[in-house]
Amino acid sequence: MALTLLAGPANAGKVALLLERYLSALADEPFLIVPNRSDVDRVERELLASSGALLGGEIGTFDDLFRRLARDGGEHRPVATDAQRALIVRRALGEARLNGWTRSARFAGFADALSSALGELESGLVDPGELEGDLAGLYAEYRAELDRLGLWDRDLERRAAAERLAGELGAWERRPVFAYGFEDLTGAQWALLEALAGRAEVTVSLPYEPGRPAFASLERTAADLSSLARPRIEELPPRPEVRPPALAHLERSLFSDERDPDERGVALDGALRFFEGAGRRGVLERVAEELLALIRSGTPPEEIALVCPRVERYRAPLETALGSLGVPYAIEGRIRFDQTEFGRALLSLLRFAWQGGGRGMLYGFLRSPYSGLARASVDWIEGRLRGRAVETGERTEEETMRLRDGHPLPPLELLRKAQTPLAALRDLSRFMLRAAHGLESPPVGEESRQNLRAFEALTRLVDELEGWLALGGSLTPDEIVAAVERVSVRAAGAGEAGRVDVVDLLRARTRRYEVVFVLGLEEGTLPRRGETSPFLDEETARELDSRLRRSRLAKPDAVARDRYLFYTACTRATRRLYLVREAANDEGGPREASPFWDEVRDLFSEDEVRRTTTRRPLSALTWPVEQAPTERERLRAVASLAALDEGASRSLAQANGWERRLDRALRAFERPTRLTHPLVLEELRAKTSFGVTELETFADCSSIWFVDRLIGPRTIDQVVDPRLRGQVAHSALHKFFAGVPKRLGVEKLGPEQLDDALEFVRECLAEAMAGVRMELTDLQRRELEQGLLRDLEAFLRDEAASELQLVPRRFEVSFGSERSAQELQRGLDLGTFTLSGKIDRIDLDPFSARGIVQDYKSGKTAHSAAQIESELKLQIPLYMLVLRDLVGVEPLGGIYRALSGKRDARGLLRAEAKEDGVPGFSRNDYLDEEAFWGQVDRAGELARGFVERIRDGDVRHDPKGGDCPPWCELWRMCRVRRP
């Protein structure tokens, strides 16, 4: 008995020869080892297609063979599942002495990294006693924990199988063994092959040619297999005739050190193409367009593959690019449980119920189709909670039940009434499936299939965790949630009829397709950056290999490994190969090409390469009209064409019945803004009272006034913003100054009353904070209260030190509304309308009917007299008229008082009162009588002009200064093109 090695380059027919020999040995019940579980069905279909029937033999993976050998032995132990193994590692960490790793061990990633390192050691047949340092102690504790539980893990089962085969003559019945698709053998796999070669005929296929750089990462495996197989080594010659000349030349010359310049003249003839684009999405949209063209031209989707360096990084952009164009595809591999809708919903509820989650967690579940509640009802209730900023879990549940008329939430009740957390998890998963799909008809469609796969994965996990409890283990709700988070779900399998395969480099190496796209040919993406274990670095692995000989822990060079995988990906295509790279990132920054990209292009003439290279720049927002793959993209292309040739664009639109849609697209940012509806104009013309702040908003931008005041959109979420801060500050100051005479016994605050005033303002602020209806977290409340207290205390210190002799007498003076004092309800008459508003504070001269207006600003800005006019501020000038004509007080001026920052006091003041009534302000804010009253009159004329425009419906995009202010968030609604 011996091992036969079939070696040769890609496409030399090694696997076909191996499968042929497998079929010829069916009478001896051969065992065929394939790389992955997904390959088993595929190879069976291929063999059935060639032979018609399989009346013997067995096909499986290395793990299938390990499991069979180990379980046929007399000392087989139960094998810990992945979930149980993770719990065992965490228990071992709790028992072991961690020394310098104590702080790191608190993080979940520490246990995961340790579990991976232990798996590598066990697959290399390394015992704890053969290690040194802290890792040896952790490994020994882990093995001891397995022994205490009477378990093996998967790697110990593999080791037991290899040892049994090496030590028992009857362990294998001399059945021939065939294997392919393995380049890096673990210590256990090598031990198994070595033992099998002594008991039966073993045939192994290995892609390898001595001396070629593309196979450098396989040198050790090739040398070991050659020494075991010698002299039964069959080197198969290349077969360039089975591929188009360009692809055959690529296979023979890629990464070769010696190249014949004459061979660069090989014509590509459509067999090799290069795609360049800007941004990952842009590149994938170009790929999607080509996929549609291939499918429409007759290429079966299952005969097309997209090969990615790492599928996970391409999953989301692929879903966007391929899904938007309707390209059917299947991503092979497994996805995280929380990447399924079922998993996200279930984890949201578990985190709320078991881990103290907030409103977002609960309603993340309730909004899903798995809650059994109507979406409209859930949205209505959540809107009420968000409007009050209800966040904490306890308050969320309490308010939700109140808004549901006291009815509890069935999923939460189910969780809490179950006897055990695992029983609750099982019951909840069943409830969710019933709620989403009902019991009347079976679920159909890919989404339903994904839900069922997620449910099956969760059911297996619950069974595994119940097995853990049966072993004497314990589980907390947090550990259950962590286990659920680690569950992986089988995705839609590659190779499904009617779907394009999306596979990674490793899975692609054993497949064949008519057309292959290799993605990620940018520097930093391919070759990939090497990943090392924090517990088992390369130096330690090489030292163990040299000392133990059997471990095979050292990995081949990462670049050499990716060089080989890229070579195999390029040789999977039988008809056409596309190489794809991002020439720029999403922001337009250039990206260097992968050296692999350059290697391929250097194999052919520059003219050929240039002719077969397609580029899509970042500015190419649409396809050319004749190339647009879908109706939506054709519409976008026609709209884009209008910028260059409007006549041609309108002709195309007319020919396809798209005139109205094209007109809407072309007018997207040029829609008329003037209000024309008769009912709207009638209502505006009938309006007789206008607020001061409303007119100031109109002065800022009439479109802002239209959206903010007439339409009145509001955010759902209540947040701590400057408006809330200002409301609390105004309320606290009102309470303070209104209570000063009674509390402090004075009308005007001075330095001697400052300490008592500071104590009083704290009480006023606390009372104002109590009036906030929004539910604040402790941090939000402390931040808001402490920030306001700091500003108000500084404001009162300035107030006590002020030279102003006027006395604060009237506060929150409303005019022009039903809530105003009787004499102020009519508002300020400006001829064709009346003005309404509220003055924060009026300070009066104790000995005459003179006074000033003070307007608090919660921010840092206070406007000077010049800024009041230049920036069209109307409050202070118009308040002068209110003071004079309504309140009956001679106005000396008005000032803005900033409550934070430098707390500037700036405004509009009469110069004649500088010494007598209002001293101590900026000299530029004092105006002589003509200038003062002239500015007031101009403010009145501005107000009249704004009212006339409002009544005429004259809404424009006219932001003050010509540009939209950076703080404006309404531009999307007024359809303004922004830079």
Side-chain angles (χ1 to χ4, degrees):
M1 304 302 171
L3 183 141
T4 300
L5 176 63
L6 305 179
N11 306 323
K14 303 179 299 300
V15 175
L17 178 59
L18 181 138
L19 294 180
E20 181 182 332
R21 293 182 181 179
Y22 171 81
L23 289 175
S24 64
L26 285 180
D28 297 325
E29 294 293 330
F31 194 100
L32 174 60
I33 303 176
V34 296
N36 305 299
R37 170 57 51 187
S38 58
D39 292 316
V40 173
D41 292 338
R42 181 180 57 81
V43 172
E44 282 183 350
R45 289 194 297 269
E46 291 179 3
L47 292 175
L48 285 170
S50 62
S51 65
L54 294 176
L55 302 179
E58 186 177 351
I59 304 174
T61 63
F62 254 122
D63 275 344
D64 293 330
L65 188 53
F66 278 127
R67 190 178 305 113
R68 174 176 177 171
L69 287 167
R71 291 183 179 179
D72 287 347
E75 299 181 359
H76 184 268
R77 293 182 181 182
V79 177
T81 65
D82 291 339
Q84 292 169 350
R85 187 172 184 271
L87 291 167
I88 293 169
V89 169
R90 282 163 172 75
R91 180 184 284 189
L93 280 173
E95 299 292 333
R97 298 177 60 184
L98 298 176
N99 297 328
W101 288 341
T102 303
R103 182 174 299 179
S104 301
R106 294 179 300 173
F107 300 97
F110 183 90
D112 294 338
L114 176 61
S115 178
S116 177
L118 296 181
E120 286 188 56
L121 291 170
E122 291 188 318
S123 66
L125 309 180
V126 179
D127 288 320
E130 295 169 327
L131 296 173
E132 298 177 353
D134 295 335
L135 182 59
L138 289 173
Y139 190 11
E141 188 61 45
Y142 169 74
R143 291 283 285 269
E145 191 65 33
L146 284 173
D147 290 338
R148 280 194 292 270
L149 295 170
L151 297 176
W152 281 340
D153 62 11
R154 193 70 61 197
D155 291 299
L156 282 177
E157 182 182 54
R158 293 168 183 151
R159 178 173 187 158
E163 291 175 348
R164 176 174 178 253
L165 187 61
E168 292 185 22
L169 291 176
W172 190 251
E173 308 87 353
R174 298 197 175 190
R175 297 168 56 187
V177 176
F178 299 85
Y180 78 94
F182 303 95
E183 292 86 23
D184 300 324
L185 295 169
T186 66
Q189 290 172 341
W190 176 253
L192 184 70
L193 272 184
E194 197 172 26
L196 284 171
R199 305 292 183 83
E201 291 289 341
V202 177
T203 304
V204 176
S205 167
L206 180 71
Y208 184 74
E209 275 188 294
R212 285 191 64 180
F215 299 103
S217 65
L218 307 183
E219 286 181 354
R220 179 182 178 182
T221 303
D224 290 344
L225 288 173
S226 296
S227 65
L228 189 61
R230 192 172 287 110
R232 301 176 60 173
I233 301 174
E234 299 181 32
E235 295 187 18
L236 277 64
R239 295 194 302 165
E241 69 277 4
V242 300
R243 294 289 186 270
L247 296 184
H249 173 57
L250 172 64
E251 187 280 317
R252 297 310 304 152
S253 304
L254 185 59
F255 302 121
S256 176
D257 295 329
E258 299 178 1
R259 296 177 183 173
D260 185 349
D262 295 336
E263 292 182 347
R264 294 192 69 193
V266 174
L268 294 180
D269 290 336
L272 178 59
R273 296 184 181 180
F274 302 89
F275 281 178
E276 292 182 309
R280 182 159 294 178
R281 179 171 177 176
V283 167
L284 293 180
E285 285 180 345
R286 181 67 187 87
V287 170
E289 174 198 358
E290 190 71 11
L291 288 172
L292 273 184
L294 287 168
I295 294 170
R296 288 170 177 171
S297 66
T299 303
E302 62 271 18
E303 285 295 330
I304 306 173
L306 301 184
V307 182
C308 311
R310 288 186 175 89
V311 168
E312 195 58 39
R313 294 186 180 181
Y314 283 82
R315 187 181 298 275
L318 278 172
E319 289 175 355
T320 302
L322 302 188
S324 64
L325 296 185
V327 177
Y329 69 98
I331 300 179
E332 183 166 352
R334 304 186 71 84
I335 59 176
R336 298 193 313 272
F337 186 70
D338 62 0
Q339 288 180 307
T340 67
E341 288 190 24
F342 181 88
R344 280 193 297 272
L346 183 136
L347 279 168
S348 291
L349 186 61
L350 294 184
R351 289 164 182 156
F352 176 84
W354 289 352
Q355 296 184 321
R359 188 201 68 230
M361 292 297 178
L362 177 61
Y363 278 82
F365 171 79
L366 296 181
R367 282 195 306 272
S368 74
Y370 312 101
S371 67
L373 301 179
R375 178 65 184 267
S377 172
V378 172
D379 288 345
W380 182 84
I381 296 173
E382 187 183 17
R384 289 350 184 231
L385 301 187
R386 290 172 66 174
R388 292 177 50 198
V390 176
E391 289 288 348
T392 63
E394 184 178 349
R395 290 286 297 132
T396 295
E397 187 174 357
E398 178 184 328
E399 288 299 307
T400 299
M401 289 182 61
R402 183 181 67 79
L403 292 169
R404 282 172 47 83
D405 298 326
H407 297 297
L409 293 169
L412 281 177
E413 289 295 295
L414 186 149
L415 273 179
R416 289 166 180 165
K417 289 182 179 179
Q419 294 182 348
T420 66
L422 289 180
L425 188 57
R426 195 185 293 274
D427 292 344
L428 175 62
S429 63
R430 292 170 177 166
F431 170 89
M432 290 171 61
L433 272 189
R434 287 197 300 269
H437 302 292
L439 300 175
E440 302 300 323
S441 59
V444 295
E446 181 55 36
E447 181 180 340
S448 301
R449 294 168 62 192
Q450 188 73 287
N451 286 343
L452 291 175
R453 287 193 289 263
F455 174 78
E456 290 171 357
L458 183 69
T459 301
R460 285 194 299 271
L461 173 68
V462 173
D463 292 340
E464 293 172 9
L465 295 180
E466 287 177 343
W468 171 254
L469 293 178
L471 291 169
S474 61
L475 281 173
T476 65
D478 284 345
E479 288 175 326
I480 295 176
V481 173
V484 174
E485 290 172 338
R486 288 192 297 273
V487 168
S488 63
V489 180
R490 180 174 55 86
E496 292 186 9
R499 294 176 183 268
V500 174
D501 281 1
V502 181
V503 294
D504 59 21
L505 287 166
L506 199 61
R507 291 180 183 272
R509 72 194 195 284
T510 59
R511 311 291 174 84
R512 287 282 186 277
Y513 301 95
E514 288 187 28
V515 180
V516 172
F517 292 77
V518 181
L519 310 180
L521 288 171
E522 312 89 36
E523 187 174 0
T525 304
L526 196 68
R528 297 167 291 186
R529 294 180 176 89
E531 297 178 356
T532 58
S533 168
F535 295 98
L536 189 63
D537 56 38
E538 284 301 307
E539 184 179 348
T540 303
R542 284 194 295 269
E543 188 274 329
L544 287 170
D545 281 356
S546 63
R547 179 158 52 89
L548 302 179
R549 300 292 181 184
R550 66 179 185 276
S551 59
R552 307 179 70 87
L553 293 173
K555 297 180 176 63
D557 176 72
V559 174
R561 177 65 169 162
D562 278 348
R563 191 181 293 121
Y564 164 72
L565 292 175
F566 176 69
Y567 162 84
T568 59
C570 290
T571 58
R572 299 307 88 196
T574 61
R575 180 162 65 91
R576 184 178 298 166
L577 173 67
Y578 294 84
L579 300 183
V580 185
R581 84 174 185 98
E582 297 175 38
N585 57 29
D586 291 318
E587 289 73 40
R591 294 197 66 178
E592 293 295 326
S594 164
F596 297 169
W597 169 275
D598 295 330
E599 285 275 356
V600 176
R601 292 168 72 91
D602 287 344
L603 297 177
F604 303 93
S605 70
E606 292 183 7
D607 290 341
E608 281 285 296
V609 169
R610 189 181 306 111
R611 184 175 57 81
T612 56
T613 299
T614 302
R615 293 181 173 88
R616 186 180 184 186
L618 193 61
S619 59
L621 302 179
T622 63
W623 277 281
V625 176
E626 65 277 7
Q627 297 178 16
T630 64
E631 181 178 344
R632 179 176 181 273
E633 293 302 330
R634 284 191 287 275
L635 281 166
R636 296 180 70 234
V638 167
S640 178
L641 177 63
L644 302 174
D645 188 344
E646 186 171 348
S649 175
R650 291 194 177 279
S651 297
L652 284 169
Q654 184 177 7
N656 290 278
W658 297 336
E659 301 100 312
R660 182 171 175 272
R661 297 163 81 174
L662 178 62
D663 287 340
R664 283 177 57 85
L666 295 180
R667 297 200 312 267
F669 291 103
E670 298 175 1
R671 292 184 176 180
T673 57
R674 192 178 187 92
L675 306 182
T676 58
H677 196 285
L679 293 179
V680 175
L681 293 176
E682 181 182 350
E683 182 177 337
L684 290 176
R685 288 166 183 162
K687 187 175 181 180
T688 59
S689 179
F690 293 84
V692 180
T693 55
E694 176 184 4
L695 296 181
E696 275 199 357
T697 300
F698 194 90
D700 288 335
C701 177
S702 56
S703 289
I704 292 179
W705 168 85
F706 169 68
V707 175
D708 192 40
R709 296 284 176 162
L710 206 59
I711 298 177
R714 294 292 180 266
T715 58
I716 295 177
D717 292 305
Q718 182 75 277
V719 294
V720 179
D721 58 6
R723 179 175 295 184
L724 176 63
R725 195 175 188 278
Q727 290 172 351
V728 176
H730 278 65
S731 176
L733 288 173
H734 180 202
K735 296 175 187 299
F736 174 80
F737 282 108
V740 161
K742 182 177 180 180
R743 178 67 177 265
L744 304 182
V746 296
E747 290 189 324
K748 176 72 172 63
L749 185 64
E752 58 276 7
Q753 292 90 31
L754 183 58
D755 291 340
D756 293 336
L758 294 178
E759 181 180 349
F760 182 38
V761 81
R762 294 187 189 99
E763 296 175 11
C764 294
L765 178 59
E767 189 176 343
M769 289 289 297
V772 176
R773 295 185 60 191
M774 173 180 167
E775 295 199 14
L776 304 174
T777 65
D778 290 341
L779 178 61
Q780 288 175 325
R781 181 172 294 277
R782 286 198 300 271
E783 184 179 12
L784 177 60
E785 190 167 10
Q786 293 302 317
L788 285 173
L789 182 60
R790 180 190 64 244
D791 291 342
L792 294 180
E793 287 180 347
F795 176 82
L796 292 184
R797 289 189 173 91
D798 292 345
E799 185 82 12
S802 173
E803 301 176 22
L804 194 65
Q805 296 303 311
L806 303 182
V807 177
R809 283 284 173 81
R810 303 187 67 172
F811 314 100
E812 303 291 329
V813 180
S814 173
F815 59 93
S817 71
E818 294 180 355
R819 295 185 178 182
S820 306
Q822 185 70 31
E823 69 276 13
L824 302 179
Q825 286 185 1
R826 68 181 186 276
L828 178 65
D829 188 356
L830 289 180
T832 59
F833 68 97
T834 59
L835 197 70
S836 61
K838 183 183 288 186
I839 300 174
D840 291 339
R841 170 178 155 190
I842 301 175
D843 290 7
L844 299 176
D845 186 339
F847 306 108
S848 66
R850 302 186 306 167
I852 66 168
V853 167
Q854 294 207 32
D855 191 77
Y856 304 133
K857 295 297 179 185
S858 59
K860 301 177 180 180
T861 304
H863 301 282
S864 66
Q867 289 172 328
I868 288 173
E869 182 150 39
S870 65
E871 297 185 18
L872 307 181
K873 297 297 179 184
L874 301 178
Q875 280 184 308
I876 291 298
L878 294 180
Y879 286 169
M880 299 300 95
L881 297 177
V882 173
L883 213 60
R884 184 189 70 184
D885 299 342
L886 283 181
V887 180
V889 172
E890 179 186 355
L892 300 180
I895 57 173
Y896 292 111
R897 296 288 300 274
L899 299 181
S900 60
K902 296 181 179 180
R903 298 178 302 282
D904 291 332
R906 302 295 300 272
L908 179 66
L909 300 163
R910 293 169 64 182
E912 69 174 27
K914 181 176 182 180
E915 301 298 333
D916 185 27
V918 284
F921 296 98
S922 173
R923 62 185 179 87
N924 293 329
D925 291 341
Y926 292 99
L927 304 182
D928 60 34
E929 289 298 292
E930 183 179 355
F932 180 88
W933 290 110
Q935 188 163 333
V936 171
D937 290 342
R938 287 191 295 275
E941 289 303 317
L942 274 175
R944 294 184 186 94
F946 292 150
V947 169
E948 289 304 311
R949 285 184 57 190
I950 289 173
R951 287 173 169 172
D952 289 342
D954 185 13
V955 174
R956 313 169 192 165
H957 174 239
D958 53 357
K960 190 166 51 185
D963 296 321
C964 291
W967 47 263
C968 179
E969 297 180 350
L970 305 177
W971 62 276
R972 296 177 182 85
M973 298 183 68
C974 63
R975 289 296 183 93
V976 175
R977 185 180 283 108
R978 293 195 113 182

